Amino acid sequence: MVTRQHAEEEDRRSPAAADDHDAARVRHPLDPLDAAEIKRAVEILRRERPVTPEARFVSVTLHEPPKDQVPFTAPDGQDPAAAVPRLAFVVLLEPRQHATYEAVLSLTAGSVLSWRSVPDARAPLTPAECVQCGDVTKADARIRAGLGRRGITDPEHVRVEPWGIGTFTAPEEAGRRVVWTLLYYRERPDDNPYAKPIHGLHAIVDLDDMTVLRVEDLGPVPLPPGSGAYAADRVGPLRDDLRPLEIVQPEGPSFDVRGWEVRWQRWRLRLGFNAREGLVLHTVGYEDQGRVRPVLWRASVAELFIPYADPRPYQGWRNAFDIGELGIGILTNSLELGCDCLGEIRYFDVDLADGNGQPYTIKQAICLHEEDFGLLWKHFDATLGTTETRRSRRLVVSFVITADNYEYAVYWYFYQDGSIEFEVKLTGIVLTSALPPGETSDFGSLVAPQTLAAHHQHFLSVRLDTAVDGLSNTVYEVETEAVPPGPDNPLGNAFRPVKRPLRRESEAQRVIDPSHGRYWLVANPGRRTRLGHEPAYKLVPGPSVLAFSHPDSSANQRAVFATKHLWVTPFHPDERFPAGDYPNQHPGGAGLPAWTKADRPIENTDVVLWYTVGSHHITRPEDWPVMPAERAGFMLKPVGFFDQNPALDVAPSPSPHC
Ligand SMILES: [Cu+2]
């Protein structure tokens, strides 16, 4: 579902500066590829393998080194990069061969380490293809005739959105790399296109050949009347009663950034970025009495699945895999100071490859800043008449993507008490379709006259490669039980947490249960704290849902991960994406459901948790014409990891009143 808009954003992306000096600089093994490395990777591949001039580069990213080659934390002055070769992973497609290739290259040795054609893979849609798809759709005589039947004579005002077609191809289209389209109309160039969905007119387009295979015209429904405008100059008088609120840090921020490493308070982490997952966190640890204790080896959003509820013809086709079909790194915004983040900001630029393999830079793609977060802890001692109060400050790492109509703003928060929070804010514009005047639907809400916003869901699979005090971890499910009244519970007040290990993959496919206070504990059974605890972090679920689409439905079959909140697997370097490596047009069953068939043991080993964050979106008029941010997420909190409140040593605020 990309995007003319992304192509238009090319202006804001500078051609990346790729000089040899950069290439020679020693880099940390987990640093994302820079422009020089991307350029070099493409040069090596073109030189060593039969890459045709028509080849389209889907992604050129860091091939991450094995864990045993990366020290969790390198002591100051030690160069962890010296012995680790820099490798690149390239996905490219050859449209004339209808083939997808994967290559691993050594940038250090200048050679190709592996090269293979991936059977039956349909590579994700590239931004350039989406633009071309829009052009061929609008040029098609059948589409023009369909637009004419709807009174639209200016196709340049039509917005075309290519969508992954999943399994809904016709038999004669089997084997092709195909998308289908949704069309929208802007009466004025600055109208909201989703205010005028062009109902019932769809092109099915072969992306490899860039031809319109067929056009489906279900008959016109009148265009809704509104403009859906939301820009400041289109919404009438603006409020003028807010006085300035400024975040001032006169001595600068309290974090320290060295390359891609971030240090803040006791936290130590590294940032990464790639075309598919966007922001990646690496080697997240907490310094405790002079020693950095690992918490996470790696964390990222690994898939994003959005199923829609409307069963009408073609509306029922709408479901999206924004990571597997597109890549949220590619969809990442350039952030603006004072708009997306407030205060003393450190931005990170990221380098990606375009469809021709040319590096380009998304400026200010990742935002790093601190926020005051209210109360950290407090107590008033009534006898002494004294108060101890500490304010909480948190470190925020964030990035924002635009997937056509929708924005996803992803935040990782680090707190002084050892907690980590994941939050996604969903905003942007709800997807619409047109209804005939006077009609309503069970499967969506009217958000404007004749404008239906279908109910839908968003599922983010957050991949947490944990390392709680080391790589060998065990996951326990903990819930609270009431003890039956009896000799041990004479007053009937007793309750206790009950903890059981999840020993195999089949036992570790779980759903949330707030009524029993259910959570999951990731513990290191090989260690004991001073108090005798296995040091642990608990995953505290947020309010969440599961997919309502039928288990046999095509959408569900392709997104089995969204049928559970938690999956646990033993770490395997090839297991990165919960709906498989190539979800585009995949019939289903790949990723988590395939891997976990082996029912591998997961006790006291290097484990990966896959947590499904669900946002259940029953649409409402207040979501229109642009949606106030909706939040979803979860927390990771230390449990017996420390011997006491680790934020005891936070100093009181300098205010003379505290
Ligand atoms: Cu939504």
Side-chain angles (χ1 to χ4, degrees):
M1 284 96 305
V2 189
T3 141
R4 165 74 65 187
Q5 157 202 346
H6 282 91
E8 284 164 359
E9 266 180 21
E10 296 282 343
D11 308 348
R12 295 180 54 209
R13 301 164 163 182
S14 353
D19 61 75
D20 290 335
H21 175 75
D22 257 3
R25 189 160 54 82
V26 176
R27 316 205 62 221
H28 185 279
L30 296 173
D31 282 355
L33 294 190
D34 64 17
E37 289 175 318
I38 291 168
K39 184 165 174 275
R40 181 162 159 76
V42 171
E43 281 167 3
I44 294 167
L45 194 62
R46 285 194 190 279
R47 190 181 67 220
E48 302 287 325
R49 287 296 181 275
V51 176
T52 73
E54 294 79 32
R56 300 170 195 163
F57 284 80
V58 174
S59 57
V60 180
T61 57
L62 176 70
H63 186 73
E64 293 175 21
K67 290 183 182 180
D68 60 8
Q69 290 185 14
V70 185
F72 195 90
T73 49
D76 278 346
Q78 185 176 316
D79 172 16
V84 183
R86 294 282 287 169
L87 307 185
F89 178 65
V90 179
V91 178
L92 73 83
L93 68 105
E94 287 285 2
R96 293 204 180 156
Q97 302 165 24
H98 307 292
T100 302
Y101 291 89
E102 289 180 348
V104 177
L105 316 164
S106 170
L107 300 168
T108 311
S111 60
V112 177
L113 303 181
S114 72
W115 166 257
R116 70 174 191 125
S117 156
V118 189
D120 299 323
R122 306 275 182 282
L125 292 56
T126 68
E129 288 175 329
C130 291
V131 173
Q132 287 171 33
C133 172
D135 293 341
V136 299
T137 299
K138 287 197 275 189
D140 187 88
R142 294 160 291 182
I143 288 286
R144 291 202 169 213
L147 292 174
R149 277 192 286 281
R150 290 159 175 82
I152 297 170
T153 52
D154 44 359
E156 67 278 10
H157 288 181
V158 172
R159 174 178 165 83
V160 179
E161 288 188 357
W163 276 66
I165 199 165
T167 58
F168 303 125
T169 42
E172 64 273 20
E173 290 151 7
R176 287 177 181 263
R177 188 162 159 267
V178 176
V179 293
W180 70 295
T181 65
L182 291 175
L183 306 184
Y184 301 91
Y185 180 66
R186 293 181 208 249
E187 205 157 42
R188 275 175 56 168
D190 57 348
D191 280 352
N192 176 347
Y194 303 100
K196 292 197 189 310
I198 300 169
H199 201 83
L201 185 62
H202 306 284
I204 285 78
V205 179
D206 183 317
L207 279 191
D208 284 351
D209 302 338
M210 210 49 83
T211 53
V212 179
L213 298 174
R214 62 189 157 105
V215 167
E216 299 294 341
D217 190 341
L218 311 178
V221 170
L223 290 173
S227 77
Y230 53 87
D233 61 349
R234 295 283 307 271
V235 296
L238 299 173
R239 301 178 197 193
D240 60 1
D241 50 353
L242 279 187
R243 301 191 184 96
L245 174 83
E246 288 176 11
I247 308 295
V248 180
Q249 294 182 269
E251 297 171 33
S254 308
F255 51 73
D256 182 19
V257 176
R258 305 171 191 194
W260 292 88
E261 189 201 12
V262 178
R263 302 179 181 202
W264 178 79
Q265 292 281 282
R266 302 280 188 261
W267 287 106
R268 306 285 178 267
L269 58 143
R270 303 194 65 84
L271 306 184
F273 194 91
N274 65 58
R276 185 157 177 168
E277 300 161 286
L279 174 66
V280 179
L281 304 181
H282 296 287
T283 57
V284 178
Y286 192 96
E287 192 183 318
D288 182 21
Q289 297 167 46
R291 186 170 64 90
V292 176
R293 297 175 63 191
V295 177
L296 293 170
W297 182 267
R298 188 183 190 282
S300 67
V301 185
E303 193 51 87
L304 177 45
F305 167 57
I306 306 105
Y308 283 81
D310 189 341
R312 289 177 297 163
Y314 291 89
Q315 302 299 321
W317 280 16
R318 295 189 303 187
N319 65 72
F321 292 72
D322 285 342
I323 292 182
E325 290 175 343
L326 295 163
I328 58 172
I330 292 166
L331 304 181
T332 295
N333 294 179
S334 277
L335 301 175
E336 298 291 349
L337 185 62
C339 308
D340 302 288
C341 308
L342 208 55
E344 285 287 323
I345 310 295
R346 169 72 156 81
Y347 289 108
F348 293 78
D349 299 347
V350 299
D351 295 330
L352 296 174
D354 72 10
N356 296 318
Q358 287 295 318
Y360 67 91
T361 301
I362 303 178
K363 295 272 188 200
Q364 308 196 159
I366 302 170
C367 173
L368 179 74
H369 75 294
E370 296 172 277
E371 288 177 354
D372 179 276
F373 195 61
L375 207 53
L376 173 59
W377 57 261
K378 172 171 186 161
H379 186 61
F380 166 62
D381 186 313
T383 311
L384 299 175
T386 56
T387 302
E388 291 286 332
T389 306
R390 300 294 181 272
R391 285 199 74 74
S392 175
R393 198 182 295 189
R394 64 184 185 184
L395 180 74
V396 190
V397 189
S398 62
F399 75 118
V400 184
I401 70 146
T402 303
D404 274 343
N405 56 311
Y406 241 86
E407 264 74 14
Y408 296 87
V410 173
Y411 301 84
W412 290 95
Y413 302 113
F414 296 88
Y415 294 91
Q416 291 157 303
D417 68 351
S419 301
I420 302 172
E421 182 175 9
F422 173 88
E423 183 177 66
V424 59
K425 290 183 185 170
L426 302 99
T427 177
I429 302 170
V430 285
L431 200 65
T432 52
S433 60
L435 281 184
E439 279 192 20
T440 59
S441 165
D442 285 348
F443 308 107
S445 300
L446 272 184
V447 293
Q450 298 160 236
T451 309
L452 182 75
H455 304 318
H456 59 276
Q457 303 182 288
H458 307 259
F459 296 104
L460 290 84
S461 178
V462 182
R463 183 180 181 278
L464 299 166
D465 184 352
T466 61
V468 177
D469 250 348
L471 290 177
S472 281
N473 290 166
T474 294
V475 181
Y476 298 90
E477 182 164 286
V478 184
E479 49 192 27
T480 298
E481 70 170 20
V483 178
D488 294 337
N489 184 22
L491 304 180
N493 64 300
F495 64 87
R496 63 189 164 204
V498 178
K499 174 176 152 183
R500 68 179 180 93
L502 305 176
R503 294 202 161 96
R504 307 193 77 89
E505 289 177 297
S506 58
E507 297 171 30
Q509 297 167 15
R510 308 297 300 159
V511 298
I512 63 171
D513 183 357
S515 65
H516 289 91
R518 182 179 290 171
Y519 62 84
W520 297 285
L521 205 56
V522 187
N524 188 325
R527 294 184 192 272
R528 286 287 183 281
T529 63
R530 193 164 56 85
L531 295 173
H533 297 294
E534 288 179 0
Y537 263 73
K538 69 172 171 179
L539 195 168
V540 187
S544 197
V545 283
L546 292 172
F548 275 84
S549 38
H550 191 273
D552 296 339
S553 68
S554 168
N556 244 32
Q557 290 287 313
R558 302 173 62 222
V560 174
F561 76 86
T563 63
K564 305 287 177 192
H565 290 112
L566 180 78
W567 302 70
V568 185
T569 56
F571 171 80
H572 189 289
D574 295 342
E575 296 178 2
R576 295 268 305 276
F577 304 108
D581 288 351
Y582 293 95
N584 186 29
Q585 291 184 256
H586 196 282
L592 280 170
W595 309 326
T596 56
K597 273 194 187 130
D599 199 15
R600 295 165 293 186
I602 50 170
E603 218 175 355
N604 196 10
T605 188
D606 186 2
V607 292
V608 176
L609 281 70
W610 310 76
Y611 182 70
T612 307
V613 175
S615 177
H616 187 57
H617 196 165
I618 302 299
T619 56
R620 53 186 187 132
E622 290 83 353
D623 292 336
W624 188 256
V626 65
M627 177 186 153
E630 185 76 20
R631 294 178 298 164
F634 64 89
M635 288 200 76
L636 297 170
K637 295 181 124 180
V639 176
F641 188 83
F642 301 105
D643 290 330
Q644 60 174 7
N645 178 355
L648 211 56
D649 61 349
V650 172
S653 300
S655 162
H657 306 292
C658 299

